[in-house]
Amino acid sequence: MRRTVKLLPILIIILFCTFGAVLTRAETESNSVAQSDTTCTTHSYTNKCDTTCNVCGNVRKTTHTYDKKWKSNASVHYKVCTVCKTKLMEKHKYSNATAGKCSVCEHVRYNGVKKIKKTLYYYKKGVLYKPKTLAKYNNIYYYFNSGKNQKSNLMFKYKNTTYHISKGKVNSKEGKLLYKYNKKLYYCQKGKWVKFNGNYTYKGKTYKVTKGIARCLSHSYSNVTLTCKYCGAVKPGCSENSKYLLNNAKLTPTKTNCKILDDKITAIFKKIHKKNMTTDQKVQACYNYLVNNIDYGYNFCFGSVSDNLIYKSDYDYTIVENAYSLLSNKQGVCDEYSAAFVAMCRRIGLNAHLQSGTVSKKGGGRTGHTWTYIIINGKHYVFDPQVQNNNKNVKNYYYCKPYNKLGKTYEKSKYSYKAKDFKNFACVNRPQKNICVDLSLTGTTQTVTTTSKQNGTSTSCDIGGLFENNIFKVNSNGKATLHLDIKGGSGKYIIEFAAYSDSGKSQLVFDKKCGKTFSQTLNFGSFAGKINWHYYIAVVDSVDTDSYIIFDNIDASKK
């Protein structure tokens, strides 16, 4: 107990000294900081990008100022700060395995021929070269189309030399041979077409070669194509024969996209087409079906195929509507006959079209008519099952005939559809619903206001009204103003307006493109008496503005 009492003063002294030292150190650090703050009145940085003060060590946030354009090397692209030269680096980014350029900096990684996943691609400055061409890879020329090596067999002209392409490449090591392409037999040597003259024996058969084109000394003709099995020569006197023309035609089968019509054609084909039929035999069967199974006469029971379809071309729609009407009712006139035959030939794969004009009559004079023609090797051949129906005693007289063999029997109309009007039965999207047109016609003795609405379920694109009951008179100055406000739809429209005097002697007709609003001053100065008028608005939802079809139901009542 005494020993503890004696140590107590010593412990107190030690604690006091330790506490004093701590206070002294804290005071010293405080004075140091205060001294630092007082000396760094303005921070000093090396440049705008430096984050730490050179005097006091203060840290700040900064933003680098980089170049606008990316720089690149083989693996990365980067931008350099214009102040501190710091680099912002990223790896190149490519949209897919065949992309030749970085999607960020456009760095070119592919140029020339590149093999990617066992396929050859041809690039020019990172972009796939689209035109047909030849390009060298491992000392062999390859054939490219749309930037990709095509495993094709053909003759191709490149830099004034025609090459024999076999399985997508030029075999420059192969010797002499004869190659059949597009009904001609070419004399080739080391992958090139050579304009050789003379006789040449190939695979045991001797040919006469003239300017590089070979012909058999003795032909062997096919009973199907009427061409030589070896050199492709046409059998004498058969160049206009339907067997030669149709059986050698390139086929691209096309459906109408109208299911009910396509199903009818399929059902008919099952009845009239047999296995291993030639193209000529199939077309002949379609022709005979229309001649022997359809009655001539006006069809007052029209079939409707437009309920769920809007065709891109009015030409296509005409073919489909008339073909369905004929095949449904087993009766029709020339318009329906020709349309049905076009639809059937298109299904087979032939380039068939409608033609309107006039034909000569037996008793003299001419009458309006529509027939079918098929384009083969750029030439038009007439097929007319409806006239054949009236002349059954003359077999196939109106089947696959060129115009020059028919004299003046057929004369085309300049107003007929053209082949370019055909759009392969392509359809466009249904028009937008709930379209409303507010119309006002002022400057008349009675201001006309009306609202027309699309019914929301119609597949057609037109909206409008016929206002023969809203007959009006124009004020003394002879001018009126037409104004439209259109809501809904695509925002692109065509307005068709027509006004007629009550006597029928004067008219004002126009059609114009318009947007959501439209105003037009109408000059009725030449009109006398009362005026009848109507308008239609066509919603332009497709590329072809002729694709619209008239509304089934409209609401065009006065407000």
Side-chain angles (χ1 to χ4, degrees):
M1 184 68 180
R2 291 178 180 177
R3 193 176 293 175
T4 301
V5 173
K6 289 180 179 180
L7 292 174
L8 185 59
I10 297 171
L11 291 172
I12 292 171
I13 292 170
I14 292 171
L15 289 171
F16 179 77
C17 292
T18 302
F19 182 69
V22 172
L23 289 175
T24 302
R25 184 177 177 183
E27 184 178 354
T28 302
E29 290 179 356
S30 177
N31 291 336
S32 174
V33 172
Q35 184 179 2
S36 173
D37 289 341
T38 55
T39 57
C40 192
T41 56
T42 304
H43 294 297
S44 175
Y45 300 95
T46 304
N47 52 52
K48 292 181 180 180
C49 299
D50 192 10
T51 58
T52 306
C53 176
N54 294 328
V55 178
C56 66
N58 180 64
V59 178
R60 66 172 180 173
K61 292 182 179 180
T62 61
T63 304
H64 292 287
T65 304
Y66 293 106
D67 294 327
K68 291 183 178 180
K69 292 185 178 180
W70 289 95
K71 297 180 180 180
S72 65
N73 55 36
S75 57
V76 299
H77 51 254
Y78 59 89
K79 288 183 178 181
V80 180
C81 178
T82 57
V83 178
C84 66
K85 306 305 179 185
T86 299
K87 289 184 178 180
L88 174 64
M89 303 182 72
E90 294 178 355
K91 287 185 178 181
H92 291 306
K93 297 178 181 179
Y94 301 98
S95 57
N96 53 55
T98 59
K101 282 185 178 182
C102 171
S103 58
V104 177
C105 69
E106 296 193 340
H107 167 76
V108 175
R109 67 167 172 173
Y110 297 149
N111 198 26
V113 180
K114 181 71 176 178
K115 192 171 187 178
I116 304 170
K117 294 182 179 179
K118 298 181 180 181
T119 302
L120 294 178
Y121 296 88
Y122 181 49
Y123 296 86
K124 281 196 174 182
K125 296 182 179 180
V127 179
L128 284 171
Y129 187 68
K130 298 295 184 181
K132 298 174 182 178
T133 188
L134 295 182
K136 190 176 281 189
Y137 180 75
N138 288 346
N139 293 321
I140 297 175
Y141 276 107
Y142 287 83
Y143 172 70
F144 291 89
N145 187 5
S146 298
K148 185 179 179 181
N149 174 229
Q150 304 290 331
K151 306 292 184 181
S152 306
N153 297 310
L154 71 158
M155 302 297 293
F156 182 70
K157 191 173 183 179
Y158 177 70
K159 293 184 178 180
N160 297 322
T161 301
T162 301
Y163 292 87
H164 167 217
I165 311 298
S166 177
K167 295 182 180 180
K169 65 181 180 180
V170 178
N171 187 356
S172 59
K173 295 181 181 180
E174 67 183 0
K176 301 174 184 178
L177 59 80
L178 296 181
Y179 178 67
K180 192 174 182 181
Y181 178 68
N182 276 356
K183 302 175 187 176
K184 290 183 179 181
L185 202 59
Y186 292 83
Y187 176 84
C188 300
Q189 187 174 357
K190 293 185 178 181
K192 297 179 182 179
W193 176 41
V194 179
K195 295 185 179 181
F196 167 77
N197 291 302
N199 289 347
Y200 175 65
T201 301
Y202 181 67
K203 293 184 178 180
K205 191 171 180 65
T206 302
Y207 299 83
K208 183 180 179 180
V209 184
T210 306
K211 293 183 179 180
I213 302 297
R215 290 288 185 268
C216 298
L217 293 178
S218 58
H219 297 292
S220 178
Y221 298 106
S222 165
N223 290 327
V224 175
T225 63
L226 301 182
T227 58
C228 178
K229 298 176 183 178
Y230 299 100
C231 67
V234 182
K235 189 175 182 179
C238 296
S239 60
E240 298 290 352
N241 188 291
S242 65
K243 197 184 273 192
Y244 163 71
L245 292 168
L246 295 172
N247 290 340
N248 288 284
K250 185 179 180 181
L251 302 180
T252 306
T254 307
K255 288 188 176 183
T256 66
N257 283 322
C258 173
K259 187 177 184 306
I260 52 178
L261 175 57
D262 288 334
D263 288 347
K264 282 188 177 294
I265 293 175
T266 299
I268 293 170
F269 279 12
K270 285 182 179 180
K271 292 179 181 179
I272 66 176
H273 288 172
K274 297 179 181 179
K275 190 177 181 180
N276 299 325
M277 265 188 167
T278 65
T279 302
D280 178 44
Q281 290 170 337
K282 289 179 180 179
V283 175
Q284 183 76 65
C286 294
Y287 189 82
N288 291 338
Y289 175 84
L290 296 179
V291 171
N292 298 322
N293 294 278
I294 305 298
D295 294 326
Y296 180 84
Y298 286 99
N299 195 343
F300 298 104
C301 300
F302 296 103
S304 178
V305 299
S306 61
D307 292 342
N308 295 302
L309 295 171
I310 299 176
Y311 283 91
K312 189 175 181 180
S313 168
D314 188 49
Y315 180 20
D316 298 17
Y317 174 78
T318 300
I319 295 171
V320 173
E321 189 80 2
N322 286 338
Y324 180 72
S325 175
L326 184 90
L327 297 178
S328 296
N329 300 297
K330 299 295 177 68
Q331 180 173 300
V333 294
C334 57
D335 298 304
E336 287 88 15
Y337 270 89
S338 54
F341 191 64
V342 167
M344 295 167 91
C345 288
R346 282 282 173 182
R347 172 70 77 86
I348 292 171
L350 292 163
N351 188 7
H353 293 278
L354 294 178
Q355 178 67 56
S356 61
T358 62
V359 291
S360 55
K361 295 165 60 176
K362 288 183 178 179
R366 306 191 68 81
T367 185
H369 187 54
T370 302
W371 61 93
T372 301
Y373 68 92
I374 296 177
I375 302 175
I376 304 172
N377 298 328
K379 194 170 182 179
H380 296 191
Y381 294 88
V382 173
F383 294 78
D384 198 338
Q386 187 269 303
V387 172
Q388 186 73 61
N389 181 283
N390 297 337
N391 298 271
K392 293 181 180 179
N393 58 322
V394 185
K395 185 178 180 181
N396 288 349
Y397 183 75
Y398 302 95
Y399 179 87
C400 198
K401 300 291 183 182
Y403 282 102
N404 60 354
K405 294 284 182 71
L406 294 168
K408 294 185 178 181
T409 303
Y410 291 85
E411 288 186 0
K412 305 175 189 176
S413 168
K414 64 179 180 179
Y415 301 108
S416 179
Y417 288 116
K418 304 296 188 293
K420 65 180 182 179
D421 298 325
F422 182 70
K423 305 298 182 184
N424 291 312
F425 299 117
C427 296
V428 297
N429 295 329
R430 291 167 64 97
Q432 300 180 41
K433 299 178 181 180
N434 303 321
I435 300 170
C436 178
V437 179
D438 290 329
L439 177 145
S440 65
L441 186 64
T442 56
T444 62
T445 53
Q446 178 186 3
T447 297
V448 178
T449 60
T450 185
T451 297
S452 300
K453 296 179 181 180
Q454 189 183 36
N455 61 17
T457 58
S458 173
T459 58
S460 55
C461 304
D462 278 6
I463 185 168
L466 181 64
F467 295 94
E468 291 183 348
N469 294 327
N470 283 332
I471 296 176
F472 63 87
K473 288 185 178 181
V474 184
N475 290 338
S476 57
N477 64 359
K479 293 183 179 180
T481 300
L482 175 69
H483 181 80
L484 303 175
D485 287 307
I486 309 173
K487 301 171 185 177
S490 63
K492 296 179 181 179
Y493 315 94
I494 294 176
I495 176 174
E496 176 189 309
F497 180 88
Y500 305 90
S501 64
D502 200 25
S503 62
K505 294 182 179 181
S506 299
Q507 65 179 24
L508 176 65
V509 179
F510 68 84
D511 60 89
K512 289 186 177 181
K513 293 181 179 180
C514 66
K516 294 277 187 180
T517 59
F518 176 82
S519 292
Q520 176 81 22
T521 299
L522 308 176
N523 191 347
F524 293 103
S526 62
F527 281 63
K530 296 180 180 180
I531 299 171
N532 294 288
W533 64 288
H534 74 265
Y535 80 97
Y536 285 101
I537 306 296
V539 182
V540 185
D541 277 353
S542 67
V543 179
D544 186 350
T545 56
D546 290 333
S547 65
Y548 53 82
I549 302 166
I550 295 176
F551 251 126
D552 297 323
N553 298 297
I554 55 174
D555 176 8
S557 57
K558 281 188 177 183
K559 285 185 177 179

